[in-house]
């Protein structure tokens, strides 16, 4: 066929070639008179010297025409009224568009054509009504009227804007051979000849062509079936050898993923023909693959553009999306693999069928028999995968066909199943297919690794995998309930250079609110410079919560929580932050001191929610629960970070982990673990009373919500337990001897306030202890010890000489020494402020950034 153009060139009348620009306007583009006017404007403003505009019927008209046919065939005489509606619709549109000045008598001409067409249709429909049947030709003849009218109206509208133009009834030019009920093959040779003849009679620089309709070689009206007007435009592009074909629609172009599912999907600037095929196969609203065939042979690019947003450049589909077309593509993202995948698509309601058995190994023909059985019931195989062990063949079919396929396979392989040569035919419903499409994926290592890592990090299980040998797509099957999250995870990993993270914050108390303020100040920098897109989707305290679909405005959350907050509901909160519509990964930050909140961790981790916390309850609670939690976290690909539980922002947990992971052996961890107790004893020099300093520590934000947790030694004991367990010891909180500084009578008081009120009554006792130590040249220090060799932990008030390192601290300093096999003579020391809102929140924040980098943010 490629030689056709050269062969015929001598006889050609039509000046073919790159001066022609072909447009196609779908039904919605010409849905009413204002839209037709807009389309006319687009045509007039196209600076190309020669223009063709292929137009569909006004929106819904083709359906209305088929409805007429159905009514008439089923002897429902309401077709008469329905036809009248169609007449009115076109009449009113033409009048609205062409009414005022009508130099060309276009309006009266069109109205008389319309009347005559309607009369012919009435006659035809009457005949169909009487016969109770319409042949396919009759149907095609009736259905094509929508295009005839829209083309004539549009041609008049273009003329009205001062651009001379003619309209073409494509049935006079476009010749197609019907192949089956759903497809036709264009006859380029015959069509080209007819085009020359037509053009000789109607020479014009602008031609409005009816989409969808054509005729057979015998001049019988037909249609392009399901390929429709896009196909007409592509054929016209080939017949005119146009420079480009622009398909006008109601979206800005082809998206990297369905924007209803991934709100951050972007419009692709370029796409190769093959990529467009793959995308359309996987449900992206792109061109039907057949549509690209006519233009592909001449390398004519197709641009998809939005008729309602002409400023948007659209997506160019061409021979290649490689460098020549990709030059103006998005700025290169931070990893080379990012540009390799063009788009992602999903197909829901899929069932996987798995046929298993040793009888298939090395037996030629098994696969063909399996697919014979599937073909026998007319099911459509969407994907196939067979491992080279040949023990199983797995394929995907639309879920609605799964039961029939299953029965057919059971029937066909009854003998093999009975004999045990096949062990199982299994159907797994509720699946979705996720496909990654991109021509540059071919032969590039790392693409599938990145894809699967993104899925694993979003805690999504992959049921089956297939990669076409063309390597233009990788297809995976996931559970349908994971499908949108999977799409979001891979899309954000490849396409967007940002790692989005949905954050839920529980406990906006001192630490929580300081963290939110730090996030507010840093969120833009993280997004712009570090590619981390943090969205706080919800904040909840013990009574109230506020939620937002896109992420709360962090400068307004206090007001929102106070004025618009709803009753706190942990289940609703969890569901909201997890099931938002555009972020694949979720983290809940627990900034409470509550055991009740910590009880949710297991459930959160099992839902794939990551956890970050300064709350010590979970890790210092019952050992069995702690072990279960860690085991779940490890096997579920979720992260659980708690650096701020010990030493606030100081790197204590990470230092310990570093030592362990590099093979060091911990012997002892000891030091001052309490910011509050450090502050108290650093300042307890006789100038102020003990209770006065406790009140100062609370005001400075060093204490637990109830300072008795600090003074009782319980907070230190919890930290000792956390470190002991981290170092591999099996210790419970009640195994730690604790020396409490809370006077006995004050231990049972209900509130922290009552305690602080009464504490001055006991100042004398503490002062006596201090003075005694001071007299001996010593200071009091509250220390914690994890003695790994002795398998024990303890917390105690001790006296140290004033020259001792523990006596040199100031403020809320913690000092923690690790004595290990490598750090034996001199312990590894970490020292610095170990309590306070800013440093603690910063510790939580850095866990959050660690999580983002685990999830793929650049480091
Ligand atoms: N202060 C520090 O230097 C350090 C603190 N930490 C830890 O940080 C955590 C927070 O401490 P801090 O900010 O001082 O405590 P706050 O008392 O100031 O804040 C606690 C927050 O948790 C909320 N809360 C309590 N129970 C629940 C519940 N069941 N559901 C939802 N929200 C709840 C409270 O809400 P409401 O107001 O409604 O009661 C409040 O918003 C503690 O675990 C602490 O051990 C860790 C290291 C250092
Ligand atoms: N109250 C604690 C805060 C840090 O965990 C302390 O004083 O150290
Ligand atoms: Na820490």
């Amino acid at each position: 066929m490629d030689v056709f153009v050269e062969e015929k060139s001598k006889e050609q009348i039509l000046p073919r070639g790159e001066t022609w620009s072909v447009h196609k306007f779908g039904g919605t583009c010409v849905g009413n008179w204002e839209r037709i006017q807009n389309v006319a404007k687009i045509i007039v403003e196209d600076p190309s010297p020669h223009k063709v505009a292929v137009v569909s019927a006004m929106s819904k008209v083709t359906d209305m025409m088929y409805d007429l046919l159905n009514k008439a065939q089923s002897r429902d005489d309401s077709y008469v009224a329905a036809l009248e509606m169609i007449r009115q619709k076109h009449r009113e549109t033409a009048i609205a568009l062409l009414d005022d000045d009508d130099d060309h008598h276009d309006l009266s001409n069109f109205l008389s054509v319309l009347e005559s067409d309607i009369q012919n249709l009435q006659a035809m429909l009457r005949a169909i009504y009487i016969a109770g049947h319409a042949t396919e030709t009759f149907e095609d003849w009736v259905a094509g009227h929508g295009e005839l009218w829209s083309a004539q109206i549009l041609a008049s509208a273009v003329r009205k804007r001062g651009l001379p133009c003619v309209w073409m009834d494509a049935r006079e030019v476009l010749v197609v051979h019907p192949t089956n009920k759903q497809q036709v093959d264009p006859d380029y040779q015959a069509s080209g000849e007819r085009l020359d003849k037509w053009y000789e009679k109607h020479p014009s620089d602008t031609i409005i062509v009816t989409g969808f309709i054509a005729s057979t070689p015998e001049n019988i009206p037909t249609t392009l079936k399901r390929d429709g007007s896009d196909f007409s435009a592509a054929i016209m592009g080939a017949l005119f050898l146009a420079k480009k074909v622009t398909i006008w629609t109601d979206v800005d172009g082809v998206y990297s993923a369905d924007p209803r599912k991934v709100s951050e999907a972007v419009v692709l600037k370029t796409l190769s023909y093959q990529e467009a095929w793959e995308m359309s196969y996987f449900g992206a609203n792109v061109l039907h693959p057949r549509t690209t065939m006519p233009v592909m042979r001449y390398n004519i690019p197709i641009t998809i553009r939005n008729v309602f947003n002409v400023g948007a450049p659209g997506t160019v589909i061409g021979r290649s999306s490689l460098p020549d077309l990709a030059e103006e593509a998005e700025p290169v993202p931070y990893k080379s693999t990012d540009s390799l995948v063009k788009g992602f698509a999903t197909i829901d309601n899929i069932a996987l069928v798995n046929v298993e058995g040793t009888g298939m190994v090395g037996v030629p023909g098994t696969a063909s028999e399996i697919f014979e059985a599937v073909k026998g019931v007319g099911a459509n195989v969407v994907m196939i995968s067979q491992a080279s062990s040949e023990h199983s063949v797995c394929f995907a079919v639309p879920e609605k066909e799964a039961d029939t396929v299953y029965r057919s396979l059971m029937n066909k392989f009854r003998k093999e199943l009975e004999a045990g040569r096949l062990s199982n035919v299994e159907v797994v419903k509720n699946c979705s297919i996720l496909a990654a499409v991109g021509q540059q994926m071919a032969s590039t290592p790392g693409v599938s690794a990145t894809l699967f890592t993104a899925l694993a990090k979003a805690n999504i299980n992959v049921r089956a995998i297939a990669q076409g040998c063309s390597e233009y797509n990788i297809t995976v099957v996931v559970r349908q309930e994971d499908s949108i999250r999977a799409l979001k995870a891979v899309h954000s990993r490849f396409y967007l250079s940002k790692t989005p993270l949905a954050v839920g914050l529980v406990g906006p108390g001192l630490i929580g609110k300081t963290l939110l303020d730090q996030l507010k100040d840093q969120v833009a920098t993280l997004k712009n410079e570090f590619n981390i897109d943090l969205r706080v989707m919800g904040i909840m305290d013990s009574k109230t919560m506020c939620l937002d679909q896109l992420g709360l405005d962090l400068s307004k959350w206090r007001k929102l929580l106070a004025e618009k907050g709803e009753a706190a509901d942990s289940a609703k909160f969890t569901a909201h932050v997890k099931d938002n519509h555009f972020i694949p990964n979720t983290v809940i930050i627990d900034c409470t001191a509550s055991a009740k909140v910590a009880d949710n961790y297991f459930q959160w981790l099992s839902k794939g929610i990551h956890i970050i916390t300064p709350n010590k309850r979970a890790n210092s609670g019952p050992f069995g629960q702690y072990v279960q939690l860690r085991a779940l976290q490890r096997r579920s690909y979720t992260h659980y970070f708690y650096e701020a539980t010990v030493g606030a922002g100081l790197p204590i947990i990470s230092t310990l982990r570093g030592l362990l992971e590099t093979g060091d052996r911990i012997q002892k961890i000891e030091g001052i673990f309490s910011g509050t107790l450090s502050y108290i004893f650093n300042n307890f020099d006789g100038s102020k009373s003990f209770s006065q300093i406790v009140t100062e520590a609370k005001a400075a934000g060093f204490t637990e919500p109830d300072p008795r947790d600090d003074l009782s030694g319980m907070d230190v004991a919890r930290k000792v337990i956390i470190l002991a367990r981290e170092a591999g010891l099996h210790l419970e909180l009640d195994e730690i001897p604790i020396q409490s500084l809370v006077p006995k009578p004050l231990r049972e008081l209900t509130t922290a306030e009552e305690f602080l009120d009464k504490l001055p009554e006991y100042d004398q006792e503490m002062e006596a202890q201090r003075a005694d130590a001071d007299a001996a040249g010593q200071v009091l220090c509250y220390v914690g010890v994890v003695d790994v060799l002795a398998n024990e932990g303890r917390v105690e008030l001790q006296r140290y000489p004033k020259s001792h390192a523990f006596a040199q601290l100031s403020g809320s300093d913690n000092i923690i020494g690790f004595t290990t096999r490598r750090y034996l003579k001199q312990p590894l020391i970490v020292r610095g402020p170990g309590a306070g809102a800013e440093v603690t929140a910063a510790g939580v924040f850095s866990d959050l950034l660690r999580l983002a980098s685990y999830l793929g943010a650049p480091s």
Side-chain angles (χ1 to χ4, degrees):
M1 210 56 82
D2 296 38
V3 288
F4 150 71
V5 177
E6 287 94 63
E7 271 174 14
K8 300 302 294 174
S9 58
K10 287 188 212 101
E11 298 164 31
Q12 280 171 11
I13 289 147
L14 171 74
R16 291 171 169 80
E18 295 217 335
T19 53
W20 286 95
S21 156
V22 174
H23 296 263
K24 180 259 162 171
F25 298 95
T28 37
C29 303
V30 290
N32 57 38
W33 71 270
E34 285 108 329
R35 291 187 183 177
I36 297 176
Q37 206 162 47
N38 179 41
V39 164
K41 183 167 177 275
I42 292 173
I43 297 171
V44 172
E45 287 176 359
D46 175 353
S48 311
H50 296 114
K51 303 175 251 200
V52 171
V54 176
V55 64
S56 302
M58 290 176 74
S59 60
K60 304 203 181 78
V61 167
T62 306
D63 287 346
M64 291 163 97
M65 301 307 280
Y66 280 113
D67 183 50
L68 287 181
L69 284 159
N70 288 339
K71 286 193 158 107
Q73 290 191 77
S74 48
R75 302 187 168 220
D76 171 355
D77 58 16
S78 68
Y79 78 85
V80 180
L83 182 60
E84 177 53 21
M85 274 179 66
I86 293 171
R87 187 183 80 100
Q88 280 301 343
K89 182 177 174 102
H90 289 89
R91 207 185 138 75
E92 283 162 12
T93 305
I95 291 172
L97 260 171
L98 311 171
D99 201 16
D100 37 352
D101 80 278
D102 196 2
D103 295 346
H104 309 278
H105 309 291
D106 275 4
L107 178 62
S108 52
N109 285 348
F110 175 74
L111 293 180
S112 70
V113 167
L114 180 67
E115 291 313 317
S116 137
D117 286 346
I118 294 286
Q119 276 175 22
N120 289 339
L121 280 165
Q122 265 165 355
M124 171 64 88
L125 289 164
R126 175 81 187 143
I128 294 171
Y129 177 85
I130 291 166
H133 173 71
T135 65
E136 203 184 322
T137 307
F138 285 4
E139 285 184 349
D140 285 349
W141 181 84
V142 171
H145 275 79
E147 275 74 13
L148 294 174
W149 297 324
S150 62
Q152 290 172 75
I153 296 177
L154 177 59
S156 302
V158 171
R159 279 196 293 272
K160 196 168 171 208
R161 287 190 160 259
L163 182 69
C165 86
V166 295
W167 78 281
M168 176 201 286
D169 176 349
R171 293 174 303 187
E172 291 174 35
V173 171
L174 190 49
V175 182
V176 296
H177 299 278
T179 52
N180 61 41
K181 263 202 158 305
Q182 270 145 24
Q183 279 182 355
V184 294
D185 280 341
D187 183 332
Y188 290 96
Q189 175 122 6
S191 303
E193 286 164 9
R194 288 190 185 195
L195 177 59
D196 280 308
K197 285 195 190 117
W198 182 91
Y199 190 75
E200 199 171 12
K201 282 195 228 141
H202 310 278
S204 177
D205 291 341
T206 302
I207 307 170
I208 312 296
V209 182
T210 55
F212 187 50
I213 57 177
S215 64
T216 66
E218 298 77 32
N219 288 325
I220 296 169
T222 186
T223 66
L224 300 187
K225 316 292 174 197
R226 69 168 187 203
D227 297 334
S229 300
D230 289 349
F231 197 30
S232 309
I235 301 169
M236 287 300 160
L239 290 176
F240 284 84
L241 287 182
K243 182 181 180 189
K244 61 176 180 180
V245 174
T246 307
I247 307 272
W248 292 89
T249 162
D250 55 1
V251 288
D252 280 352
V254 181
Y255 280 84
S256 50
D258 184 339
R260 289 163 304 182
K261 294 178 179 166
V262 181
S263 64
E264 305 205 340
V266 293
V267 174
L268 300 172
K269 292 207 164 122
T270 65
L271 209 57
S272 71
Y273 297 124
Q274 286 82 357
E275 286 168 339
W277 293 351
E278 299 279 355
M279 291 288 280
S280 69
Y281 179 78
F282 291 107
N285 197 8
V286 194
L287 300 174
H288 190 276
R290 276 173 60 79
T291 307
T292 50
M293 298 299 244
V295 289
M296 250 179 93
R297 67 181 68 205
Y298 302 114
N299 286 333
I300 301 169
I302 300 182
T303 307
I304 311 283
R305 291 186 63 185
N306 190 349
V307 77
F308 304 116
N309 182 16
V310 286
T315 303
V316 182
I317 301 173
R319 181 170 48 85
S320 159
S321 66
L322 297 175
D324 53 343
L325 280 168
E327 264 163 21
E328 35 166 13
E330 297 289 323
V332 180
Y334 59 93
K335 291 241 167 82
S336 59
T337 44
D338 288 20
S339 55
L340 302 176
V341 179
K342 273 303 179 93
F344 299 91
T346 48
I347 312 178
D348 288 337
N349 302 316
I350 290 290
L352 265 188
V353 182
N354 193 20
V355 184
E356 267 179 47
T358 48
M360 293 197 292
V361 183
V363 182
T366 316
S368 108
E369 279 191 51
I370 292 173
F371 292 111
E372 272 299 307
V374 179
K375 186 180 162 212
V377 294
N380 181 28
V381 176
V382 189
M383 186 202 96
I384 306 171
S385 161
Q386 179 177 24
S388 63
S389 71
E390 297 183 56
H391 279 113
S392 69
V393 174
C394 158
F395 58 92
V397 293
E399 198 171 75
K400 61 180 188 313
E401 292 168 0
D403 292 337
T404 336
V405 168
Y406 177 76
R407 281 193 295 274
S408 166
L409 288 167
M410 292 302 278
N411 244 338
K412 180 135 196 158
F413 292 105
R414 179 164 295 123
K415 276 202 213 110
E416 287 80 351
L417 283 160
E418 279 166 11
R421 288 196 299 280
L422 285 189
S423 56
N424 197 13
V425 176
E426 185 199 14
V427 173
V428 185
K429 292 189 177 169
N430 283 321
C431 291
S432 291
I433 278 183
L434 165 72
V437 170
Q439 201 164 345
Q440 292 191 64
M441 276 156 53
S443 321
T444 309
V447 178
S448 41
T450 309
L451 180 94
F452 290 113
T453 308
L455 291 171
K457 283 181 173 168
N459 204 27
I460 288 159
N461 185 34
V462 173
R463 303 292 313 239
I465 305 167
Q467 173 172 341
C469 290
S470 66
E471 297 183 63
Y472 289 168
N473 92 62
I474 300 174
T475 307
V476 297
V477 177
V478 298
R479 286 186 310 180
Q480 182 149 324
E481 63 193 84
D482 290 337
S483 129
I484 294 186
R485 225 156 43 78
L487 187 64
K488 286 187 268 187
V490 293
H491 184 268
S492 62
R493 178 63 193 84
F494 275 98
Y495 223 88
L496 306 173
S497 44
K498 303 210 173 1
T499 301
L501 193 51
V503 179
L505 185 129
V506 188
L510 178 66
I511 306 301
K513 73 178 183 227
T514 309
L515 175 66
L516 288 168
D517 288 343
Q518 291 179 358
L519 287 177
K520 179 193 75 189
D521 293 343
Q522 204 57 11
V523 108
T525 311
L526 289 176
K527 192 165 177 178
N528 301 332
E529 289 178 27
F530 298 95
N531 291 311
I532 299 168
D533 186 2
L534 295 176
R535 310 278 184 110
V536 180
M537 312 302 281
I539 298 175
M540 175 170 77
D541 63 24
S542 65
K543 293 168 221 75
T544 334
M545 65 182 185
C546 56
L547 310 174
D548 192 88
Q549 289 293 338
L550 295 175
L552 290 156
D553 178 345
L554 294 182
S555 57
K556 299 202 179 109
W557 69 266
R558 287 176 175 83
K559 199 166 151 44
L560 284 170
L561 192 64
E563 292 170 12
K564 299 216 172 106
E566 51 186 294
D569 174 341
S570 183
K572 186 171 175 193
F573 178 85
T574 307
H576 173 84
V577 293
K578 177 77 171 57
D579 298 328
N580 65 79
H581 288 291
F582 63 104
I583 302 180
N585 290 296
T586 303
V587 55
I588 293 186
I589 305 179
D590 168 19
C591 284
T592 72
S594 156
K596 198 173 132 232
V597 174
D599 283 346
N600 288 308
Y601 293 2
F602 194 85
Q603 180 234 116
W604 287 340
L605 290 176
S606 42
K607 287 184 182 346
I609 300 173
H610 309 288
I611 299 169
I612 293 175
T613 189
N615 180 359
K616 302 160 197 100
R617 300 296 165 136
N619 280 11
S620 59
F623 188 75
Q625 279 179 23
Y626 165 79
V627 168
Q628 271 186 345
L629 195 64
R630 298 313 308 264
L632 169 68
Q633 178 258 316
R634 290 204 173 107
R635 68 169 187 269
S636 64
Y637 273 99
T638 45
H639 298 286
Y640 170 39
F641 296 145
Y642 41 84
E643 178 59 85
T645 55
V646 183
L650 296 179
I652 306 297
I653 306 279
S654 53
T655 300
L656 177 53
R657 287 222 174 152
L659 293 169
L660 290 167
E661 284 162 11
T662 57
D664 205 349
R665 296 270 187 281
I666 312 295
Q667 300 193 347
K668 196 191 251 187
I669 309 168
E670 67 182 322
I672 294 181
F673 293 100
S674 165
T676 301
L677 295 171
S678 177
Y679 178 85
I680 291 172
F681 292 114
N682 293 338
N683 291 284
F684 195 28
D685 56 7
S687 60
K688 288 178 198 160
S689 70
F690 183 75
S691 60
Q692 212 176 344
I693 304 169
V694 172
T695 308
E696 278 176 19
K698 177 149 174 60
F702 302 149
T703 69
E704 292 305 288
D706 185 334
R708 282 174 295 182
D709 275 337
D710 300 287
L711 293 177
S712 67
M714 186 51 87
D715 177 72
V716 178
R718 288 202 169 101
K719 290 167 178 165
V720 163
I721 286 286
I722 292 170
L723 294 178
R725 288 176 178 176
E726 202 74 26
L729 302 192
H730 175 161
L731 278 184
E732 295 283 4
L733 198 52
D734 59 15
E735 290 174 298
I736 307 254
I738 306 178
Q739 192 179 340
S740 176
L741 304 183
V742 181
K744 268 214 179 93
L746 304 191
R747 292 182 193 167
E748 304 308 321
L749 295 176
T750 343
T751 66
E753 288 67 33
E754 284 173 80
F755 163 72
L756 287 172
D757 278 352
K758 296 241 157 53
L759 188 61
E761 294 168 19
Y762 301 87
D763 278 341
Q764 271 313 317
E765 275 177 35
M766 285 309 296
E767 174 53 26
Q769 281 200 52
R770 186 203 65 79
D772 195 35
D774 190 45
Q778 292 174 324
V779 292
L780 295 172
C781 294
Y782 202 96
V783 295
V785 181
V786 180
D787 190 336
V788 178
L789 299 177
N791 193 23
E792 62 175 39
R794 55 183 186 275
V795 298
E796 56 207 8
L797 185 66
Q798 285 195 357
R799 291 177 174 203
Y800 286 89
K802 286 183 178 164
S803 57
H804 191 275
F806 289 1
Q808 313 303 317
L809 303 183
S810 61
S812 70
D813 277 2
N814 281 189
I815 180 163
I816 289 141
F818 297 88
T819 306
T820 73
R821 202 184 54 181
R822 291 178 190 148
Y823 293 94
L824 198 54
K825 291 204 179 114
Q826 287 287 356
L828 186 162
I829 306 274
V830 182
R831 173 189 161 168
E838 288 292 341
V839 292
T840 308
V844 178
F845 196 172
S846 64
D847 272 352
L848 191 57
L849 299 188
R850 189 147 66 103
L851 174 66
S853 98
Y854 277 37
L855 297 175
S859 53

